Amino acid sequence: MGEVKDWRPFVYGGVASITAEFGKQQVHSMAYSTPRPLTGTSAICTGTFPIDTTKTRLQIQGQKIDQTFSQLRYRGMTDAFVKISREEGLRALYSGIWPAVLRQATYGTIKFGTYYTLKKLANERGLLTNEDGSERVWSNILCAAAAGAISSAIANPTDVLKVRMQVHGKGQHKGLLGCFGEIYKYEGVRGLWRGVGPTAQRAVVIASVELPVYDFCKLQLMNAFGDHVANHFISSFIASLGSAIASTPIDVIRTRLMNQRHVSITMNGVVTAAATPKLYSGSLDCAVQTIRNEGLPALYKGFIPTWVRMGPWNIIFFITYEQLKKY
Protein backbone atom coordinates (compact mmCIF):
# COMPACT_ATOMS: atom_id res chain seq x y z
CA MET A 1 0.00 0.00 0.00
CA GLY A 2 2.94 2.34 0.63
CA GLU A 3 3.87 2.61 -3.05
CA VAL A 4 0.25 3.13 -4.06
CA LYS A 5 -0.15 5.99 -1.59
CA ASP A 6 2.99 7.66 -2.94
CA TRP A 7 1.28 7.97 -6.32
CA ARG A 8 -1.98 9.34 -4.98
CA PRO A 9 -0.93 13.03 -4.86
CA PHE A 10 -0.03 12.84 -8.56
CA VAL A 11 -3.31 11.19 -9.54
CA TYR A 12 -5.42 13.45 -7.33
CA GLY A 13 -3.59 16.56 -8.56
CA GLY A 14 -4.18 15.65 -12.21
CA VAL A 15 -7.85 14.75 -11.76
CA ALA A 16 -8.55 17.87 -9.68
CA SER A 17 -6.74 20.12 -12.19
CA ILE A 18 -8.68 18.76 -15.16
CA THR A 19 -11.93 19.08 -13.20
CA ALA A 20 -11.19 22.72 -12.46
CA GLU A 21 -10.14 23.43 -16.07
CA PHE A 22 -12.91 21.66 -17.92
CA GLY A 23 -15.68 20.42 -15.65
CA LYS A 24 -17.60 17.29 -16.68
CA GLN A 25 -17.30 18.02 -20.43
CA GLN A 26 -19.97 20.74 -20.18
CA VAL A 27 -17.74 23.33 -21.82
CA HIS A 28 -18.10 21.44 -25.07
CA SER A 29 -21.87 21.34 -24.90
CA MET A 30 -22.01 25.02 -23.99
CA ALA A 31 -19.76 26.04 -26.89
CA TYR A 32 -21.29 23.87 -29.60
CA SER A 33 -24.96 23.76 -28.74
CA THR A 34 -27.67 25.80 -27.11
CA PRO A 35 -26.42 26.78 -23.66
CA ARG A 36 -28.24 25.13 -20.79
CA PRO A 37 -28.63 26.52 -17.30
CA LEU A 38 -25.75 25.38 -15.13
CA THR A 39 -25.57 25.43 -11.38
CA GLY A 40 -22.97 25.04 -8.68
CA THR A 41 -19.53 23.72 -9.52
CA SER A 42 -20.40 22.98 -13.16
CA ALA A 43 -21.31 26.60 -13.82
CA ILE A 44 -18.01 27.80 -12.36
CA CYS A 45 -16.08 25.19 -14.35
CA THR A 46 -17.56 26.20 -17.69
CA GLY A 47 -17.01 29.85 -16.93
CA THR A 48 -13.30 29.83 -16.15
CA PHE A 49 -11.74 29.21 -19.57
CA PRO A 50 -13.39 32.12 -21.43
CA ILE A 51 -12.05 34.36 -18.66
CA ASP A 52 -8.57 33.06 -19.42
CA THR A 53 -9.09 33.87 -23.11
CA THR A 54 -10.01 37.47 -22.27
CA LYS A 55 -6.93 37.68 -20.06
CA THR A 56 -4.66 36.57 -22.92
CA ARG A 57 -6.22 39.05 -25.36
CA LEU A 58 -5.80 41.91 -22.85
CA GLN A 59 -2.16 41.01 -22.18
CA ILE A 60 -1.04 41.10 -25.81
CA GLN A 61 -2.81 44.30 -26.88
CA GLY A 62 -1.14 47.69 -26.87
CA GLN A 63 2.34 46.53 -27.94
CA LYS A 64 3.58 49.63 -29.75
CA ILE A 65 6.51 47.79 -31.32
CA ASP A 66 4.19 45.16 -32.83
CA GLN A 67 1.80 46.58 -35.43
CA THR A 68 -0.39 43.50 -35.28
CA PHE A 69 -1.29 44.07 -31.64
CA SER A 70 -0.62 47.80 -31.21
CA GLN A 71 -4.31 48.69 -31.07
CA LEU A 72 -6.22 48.65 -27.76
CA ARG A 73 -9.24 46.66 -28.88
CA TYR A 74 -10.67 45.87 -25.46
CA ARG A 75 -11.32 48.18 -22.49
CA GLY A 76 -11.40 45.36 -19.97
CA MET A 77 -12.49 41.80 -19.25
CA THR A 78 -16.22 42.37 -19.83
CA ASP A 79 -15.66 44.36 -23.02
CA ALA A 80 -13.32 41.64 -24.33
CA PHE A 81 -15.86 38.95 -23.54
CA VAL A 82 -18.67 40.82 -25.34
CA LYS A 83 -16.60 41.78 -28.41
CA ILE A 84 -15.08 38.32 -28.89
CA SER A 85 -18.52 36.71 -28.62
CA ARG A 86 -20.08 39.23 -31.00
CA GLU A 87 -17.31 39.39 -33.61
CA GLU A 88 -15.98 35.82 -33.54
CA GLY A 89 -18.74 33.79 -31.96
CA LEU A 90 -19.03 32.02 -28.62
CA ARG A 91 -16.72 29.21 -29.75
CA ALA A 92 -13.82 31.66 -30.02
CA LEU A 93 -13.87 32.04 -26.25
CA TYR A 94 -12.96 28.36 -26.02
CA SER A 95 -10.11 28.45 -28.54
CA GLY A 96 -7.28 26.58 -26.86
CA ILE A 97 -9.44 24.58 -24.46
CA TRP A 98 -7.93 21.25 -25.52
CA PRO A 99 -4.27 22.20 -24.98
CA ALA A 100 -5.42 23.72 -21.69
CA VAL A 101 -6.91 20.40 -20.59
CA LEU A 102 -3.80 18.59 -21.84
CA ARG A 103 -1.68 21.06 -19.89
CA GLN A 104 -3.52 20.34 -16.68
CA ALA A 105 -3.21 16.60 -17.25
CA THR A 106 0.58 17.07 -17.22
CA TYR A 107 1.24 20.27 -15.27
CA GLY A 108 -1.35 19.67 -12.57
CA THR A 109 -0.37 16.05 -12.09
CA ILE A 110 3.35 16.78 -11.78
CA LYS A 111 3.01 20.03 -9.80
CA PHE A 112 0.76 18.91 -6.99
CA GLY A 113 2.10 15.38 -6.88
CA THR A 114 5.67 16.64 -6.62
CA TYR A 115 4.76 19.29 -4.04
CA TYR A 116 3.10 16.92 -1.59
CA THR A 117 5.71 14.23 -2.23
CA LEU A 118 8.52 16.70 -1.43
CA LYS A 119 6.67 17.80 1.69
CA LYS A 120 6.40 14.19 2.80
CA LEU A 121 10.12 13.63 2.23
CA ALA A 122 10.98 16.83 4.08
CA ASN A 123 8.77 15.78 6.96
CA GLU A 124 10.43 12.36 7.18
CA ARG A 125 13.82 14.09 7.45
CA GLY A 126 12.63 16.54 10.08
CA LEU A 127 12.89 19.57 7.76
CA LEU A 128 9.21 20.44 7.44
CA THR A 129 7.94 21.10 10.94
CA ASN A 130 9.11 23.02 13.98
CA GLU A 131 9.21 21.61 17.49
CA ASP A 132 5.69 22.93 18.16
CA GLY A 133 4.35 21.03 15.13
CA SER A 134 3.91 24.06 12.86
CA GLU A 135 5.29 23.91 9.33
CA ARG A 136 8.43 25.87 8.44
CA VAL A 137 7.58 28.52 5.87
CA TRP A 138 10.92 28.26 4.03
CA SER A 139 10.62 24.49 3.68
CA ASN A 140 7.09 24.79 2.36
CA ILE A 141 8.08 27.45 -0.16
CA LEU A 142 11.08 25.47 -1.43
CA CYS A 143 8.92 22.39 -2.02
CA ALA A 144 6.32 24.47 -3.86
CA ALA A 145 8.90 26.35 -5.95
CA ALA A 146 10.64 23.16 -7.05
CA ALA A 147 7.33 21.53 -7.97
CA GLY A 148 6.21 24.58 -9.94
CA ALA A 149 9.42 24.96 -11.93
CA ILE A 150 9.67 21.29 -12.89
CA SER A 151 6.04 20.88 -13.91
CA SER A 152 5.79 24.13 -15.90
CA ALA A 153 8.96 23.45 -17.89
CA ILE A 154 7.68 20.02 -18.92
CA ALA A 155 4.21 21.31 -19.84
CA ASN A 156 5.42 24.44 -21.70
CA PRO A 157 4.47 23.26 -25.24
CA THR A 158 0.81 22.96 -24.21
CA ASP A 159 0.97 26.51 -22.85
CA VAL A 160 2.35 27.83 -26.14
CA LEU A 161 -0.42 26.05 -28.07
CA LYS A 162 -3.07 27.45 -25.74
CA VAL A 163 -1.82 31.04 -26.04
CA ARG A 164 -1.50 30.90 -29.85
CA MET A 165 -5.00 29.48 -30.26
CA GLN A 166 -6.50 32.00 -27.83
CA VAL A 167 -4.86 34.95 -29.55
CA HIS A 168 -5.94 34.01 -33.06
CA GLY A 169 -9.37 32.73 -32.11
CA LYS A 170 -11.79 30.90 -34.32
CA GLY A 171 -10.65 29.68 -37.71
CA GLN A 172 -6.99 30.73 -37.53
CA HIS A 173 -5.69 27.26 -36.65
CA LYS A 174 -7.00 23.86 -37.60
CA GLY A 175 -7.39 22.65 -34.05
CA LEU A 176 -4.78 21.40 -31.63
CA LEU A 177 -2.87 19.23 -34.13
CA GLY A 178 -2.97 21.92 -36.80
CA CYS A 179 -1.53 24.53 -34.47
CA PHE A 180 1.13 22.10 -33.27
CA GLY A 181 2.09 21.25 -36.85
CA GLU A 182 2.35 24.92 -37.84
CA ILE A 183 4.65 25.79 -34.94
CA TYR A 184 6.84 22.75 -35.49
CA LYS A 185 7.06 23.35 -39.26
CA TYR A 186 8.00 27.02 -39.13
CA GLU A 187 9.67 27.42 -35.72
CA GLY A 188 10.96 23.95 -34.89
CA VAL A 189 11.07 22.31 -31.49
CA ARG A 190 12.35 25.54 -29.93
CA GLY A 191 9.06 27.19 -30.85
CA LEU A 192 7.21 24.84 -28.53
CA TRP A 193 9.37 25.99 -25.63
CA ARG A 194 8.94 29.68 -26.39
CA GLY A 195 8.79 31.60 -23.11
CA VAL A 196 9.83 28.65 -20.96
CA GLY A 197 11.93 30.95 -18.74
CA PRO A 198 9.12 33.25 -17.57
CA THR A 199 6.75 30.28 -17.54
CA ALA A 200 8.96 28.53 -14.98
CA GLN A 201 9.41 31.80 -13.06
CA ARG A 202 5.66 32.38 -12.99
CA ALA A 203 5.05 28.82 -11.83
CA VAL A 204 7.63 29.24 -9.06
CA VAL A 205 5.96 32.47 -7.91
CA ILE A 206 2.45 31.02 -8.02
CA ALA A 207 3.42 27.78 -6.32
CA SER A 208 5.55 29.58 -3.73
CA VAL A 209 2.61 31.80 -2.81
CA GLU A 210 -0.46 29.73 -3.55
CA LEU A 211 0.32 26.35 -2.00
CA PRO A 212 1.97 27.54 1.24
CA VAL A 213 -0.73 30.21 1.75
CA TYR A 214 -3.45 27.62 1.21
CA ASP A 215 -1.88 25.19 3.66
CA PHE A 216 -1.28 28.00 6.19
CA CYS A 217 -4.85 29.34 5.97
CA LYS A 218 -6.30 25.85 6.12
CA LEU A 219 -4.32 25.12 9.30
CA GLN A 220 -5.32 28.44 10.91
CA LEU A 221 -9.00 27.92 10.11
CA MET A 222 -9.05 24.32 11.30
CA ASN A 223 -10.43 25.22 14.73
CA ALA A 224 -13.22 27.35 13.28
CA PHE A 225 -14.31 25.21 10.32
CA GLY A 226 -12.52 21.89 10.66
CA ASP A 227 -11.28 19.99 7.60
CA HIS A 228 -14.43 20.75 5.61
CA VAL A 229 -15.49 22.48 2.39
CA ALA A 230 -15.93 25.91 4.04
CA ASN A 231 -12.29 25.82 5.15
CA HIS A 232 -11.10 24.73 1.71
CA PHE A 233 -13.20 27.44 0.03
CA ILE A 234 -11.89 30.35 2.11
CA SER A 235 -8.28 29.15 2.07
CA SER A 236 -8.21 28.69 -1.70
CA PHE A 237 -9.81 32.12 -2.27
CA ILE A 238 -7.16 33.87 -0.18
CA ALA A 239 -4.39 31.89 -1.87
CA SER A 240 -5.63 32.85 -5.33
CA LEU A 241 -5.54 36.59 -4.55
CA GLY A 242 -1.94 36.39 -3.38
CA SER A 243 -0.80 34.41 -6.40
CA ALA A 244 -2.60 36.74 -8.84
CA ILE A 245 -0.88 39.81 -7.40
CA ALA A 246 2.53 38.15 -7.45
CA SER A 247 2.35 36.46 -10.85
CA THR A 248 0.53 38.83 -13.24
CA PRO A 249 3.63 40.84 -14.37
CA ILE A 250 5.48 37.63 -15.23
CA ASP A 251 2.36 36.28 -16.93
CA VAL A 252 2.17 39.32 -19.22
CA ILE A 253 5.80 38.83 -20.27
CA ARG A 254 5.28 35.09 -20.73
CA THR A 255 2.20 35.55 -22.91
CA ARG A 256 3.91 38.08 -25.16
CA LEU A 257 6.99 35.92 -25.62
CA MET A 258 4.88 32.85 -26.38
CA ASN A 259 2.81 34.70 -28.95
CA GLN A 260 5.73 36.12 -30.96
CA ARG A 261 6.88 33.99 -33.86
CA HIS A 262 10.54 33.61 -34.86
CA VAL A 263 10.15 32.37 -38.41
CA SER A 264 13.10 32.40 -40.80
CA ILE A 265 13.18 31.54 -44.51
CA THR A 266 15.89 29.00 -45.31
CA MET A 267 17.28 27.76 -48.60
CA ASN A 268 19.60 24.76 -48.69
CA GLY A 269 20.00 24.95 -44.94
CA VAL A 270 21.08 28.63 -45.00
CA VAL A 271 18.92 31.37 -43.47
CA THR A 272 18.24 33.91 -46.23
CA ALA A 273 15.60 36.16 -44.63
CA ALA A 274 13.58 36.65 -41.51
CA ALA A 275 9.88 36.22 -42.26
CA THR A 276 8.83 37.80 -38.96
CA PRO A 277 10.57 40.43 -36.82
CA LYS A 278 12.05 39.48 -33.48
CA LEU A 279 10.31 41.78 -31.05
CA TYR A 280 11.86 40.70 -27.75
CA SER A 281 15.20 39.04 -27.11
CA GLY A 282 14.12 37.65 -23.76
CA SER A 283 12.16 38.18 -20.55
CA LEU A 284 14.12 41.21 -19.35
CA ASP A 285 13.97 42.90 -22.76
CA CYS A 286 10.22 42.29 -22.93
CA ALA A 287 9.72 43.78 -19.45
CA VAL A 288 11.86 46.84 -20.23
CA GLN A 289 10.19 47.55 -23.57
CA THR A 290 6.72 47.02 -22.14
CA ILE A 291 7.35 49.51 -19.32
CA ARG A 292 9.11 51.98 -21.63
CA ASN A 293 6.40 51.97 -24.30
CA GLU A 294 3.24 51.35 -22.26
CA GLY A 295 4.09 52.30 -18.69
CA LEU A 296 4.46 50.24 -15.52
CA PRO A 297 0.71 49.48 -15.22
CA ALA A 298 0.99 47.49 -18.48
CA LEU A 299 2.58 44.67 -16.49
CA TYR A 300 -0.78 44.24 -14.77
CA LYS A 301 -2.84 43.97 -17.93
CA GLY A 302 -5.36 41.21 -17.46
CA PHE A 303 -5.10 41.24 -13.65
CA ILE A 304 -8.87 41.20 -13.08
CA PRO A 305 -9.55 38.17 -15.32
CA THR A 306 -6.45 36.51 -13.85
CA TRP A 307 -7.83 36.80 -10.34
CA VAL A 308 -11.42 36.09 -11.37
CA ARG A 309 -10.24 32.89 -13.06
CA MET A 310 -7.78 31.88 -10.35
CA GLY A 311 -10.41 32.24 -7.64
CA PRO A 312 -12.99 29.70 -8.86
CA TRP A 313 -10.28 27.52 -10.43
CA ASN A 314 -8.45 27.15 -7.13
CA ILE A 315 -11.69 26.69 -5.20
CA ILE A 316 -12.75 23.87 -7.52
CA PHE A 317 -9.28 22.34 -7.52
CA PHE A 318 -8.67 22.30 -3.77
CA ILE A 319 -12.20 21.15 -2.89
CA THR A 320 -11.90 18.33 -5.45
CA TYR A 321 -8.42 17.44 -4.23
CA GLU A 322 -9.49 17.34 -0.60
CA GLN A 323 -12.48 15.14 -1.43
CA LEU A 324 -10.29 12.74 -3.44
CA LYS A 325 -7.89 12.45 -0.49
CA LYS A 326 -10.66 10.83 1.51
CA TYR A 327 -10.69 7.78 -0.77
Side-chain angles (χ1 to χ4, degrees):
M1 285 295 291
E3 292 184 1
V4 175
K5 288 184 178 180
D6 289 341
W7 283 100
R8 288 183 180 180
F10 292 90
V11 176
Y12 296 164
V15 173
S17 296
I18 294 173
T19 301
E21 189 71 35
F22 201 42
K24 295 183 179 180
Q25 302 293 324
Q26 292 198 34
V27 168
H28 185 274
S29 63
M30 180 179 178
Y32 290 90
S33 62
T34 303
R36 294 176 296 177
L38 299 172
T39 58
T41 301
S42 296
I44 298 175
C45 286
T46 56
T48 58
F49 192 78
I51 295 171
D52 188 66
T53 300
T54 64
K55 179 209 72 171
T56 300
R57 295 288 185 95
L58 288 171
Q59 288 179 337
I60 65 163
Q61 70 174 0
Q63 300 180 71
K64 294 183 179 180
I65 63 173
D66 186 353
Q67 294 302 313
T68 305
F69 302 104
S70 61
Q71 181 183 358
L72 291 173
R73 296 181 58 194
Y74 314 111
R75 295 190 302 272
M77 180 183 72
T78 303
D79 185 53
F81 187 92
V82 171
K83 285 183 177 178
I84 293 171
S85 301
R86 183 185 301 158
E87 297 171 6
E88 304 172 50
L90 184 62
R91 290 174 61 179
L93 291 167
Y94 292 93
S95 297
I97 182 66
W98 290 115
V101 173
L102 182 60
R103 177 183 183 274
Q104 294 306 334
T106 53
Y107 173 73
T109 299
I110 299 170
K111 174 184 174 181
F112 293 99
T114 302
Y115 171 65
Y116 287 110
T117 299
L118 289 175
K119 283 188 65 175
K120 180 181 177 181
L121 293 174
N123 188 48
E124 291 174 351
R125 287 162 175 75
L127 301 174
L128 183 63
T129 57
N130 295 307
E131 293 180 358
D132 60 357
S134 61
E135 293 186 350
R136 293 188 176 99
V137 176
W138 65 266
S139 181
N140 217 331
I141 291 177
L142 285 177
C143 291
I150 294 170
S151 56
S152 64
I154 294 174
N156 197 78
T158 58
D159 241 344
V160 174
L161 291 168
K162 179 180 76 74
V163 167
R164 294 286 181 93
M165 294 176 74
Q166 285 178 320
V167 169
H168 295 287
K170 178 183 176 183
Q172 296 298 311
H173 290 294
K174 297 179 181 179
L176 173 62
L177 295 179
C179 184
F180 174 85
E182 183 181 271
I183 294 173
Y184 182 77
K185 178 179 179 180
Y186 293 106
E187 302 172 65
V189 175
R190 291 181 62 183
L192 295 169
W193 264 270
R194 188 83 63 209
V196 67
T199 296
Q201 295 164 10
R202 174 179 178 267
V204 167
V205 170
I206 290 179
S208 298
V209 174
E210 185 178 273
L211 298 178
V213 169
Y214 174 80
D215 283 348
F216 175 80
C217 292
K218 177 184 171 184
L219 185 62
Q220 298 302 311
L221 295 172
M222 198 64 75
N223 291 333
F225 298 101
D227 193 11
H228 298 296
V229 173
N231 188 339
H232 309 153
F233 184 97
I234 297 172
S235 298
S236 58
F237 181 80
I238 296 173
S240 66
L241 174 59
S243 60
I245 293 172
S247 68
T248 297
I250 303 175
D251 194 31
V252 172
I253 295 170
R254 176 189 74 104
T255 299
R256 292 186 172 192
L257 287 175
M258 284 183 170
N259 186 57
Q260 73 170 359
R261 299 177 62 189
H262 295 175
V263 182
S264 298
I265 300 174
T266 60
M267 293 186 64
N268 300 322
V270 179
V271 177
T272 58
T276 56
K278 186 175 182 179
L279 302 176
Y280 310 111
S281 60
S283 301
L284 182 60
D285 181 52
C286 182
V288 170
Q289 293 207 52
T290 297
I291 295 172
R292 180 186 299 158
N293 296 320
E294 303 167 58
L296 189 61
L299 291 178
Y300 273 90
K301 284 184 176 181
F303 171 76
I304 296 300
T306 296
W307 183 30
V308 171
R309 174 166 162 77
M310 274 187 173
W313 195 98
N314 282 328
I315 289 168
I316 295 167
F317 170 82
F318 282 112
I319 289 177
T320 303
Y321 187 90
E322 296 288 356
Q323 295 304 309
L324 287 172
K325 281 168 61 178
K326 297 178 180 179
Y327 297 97

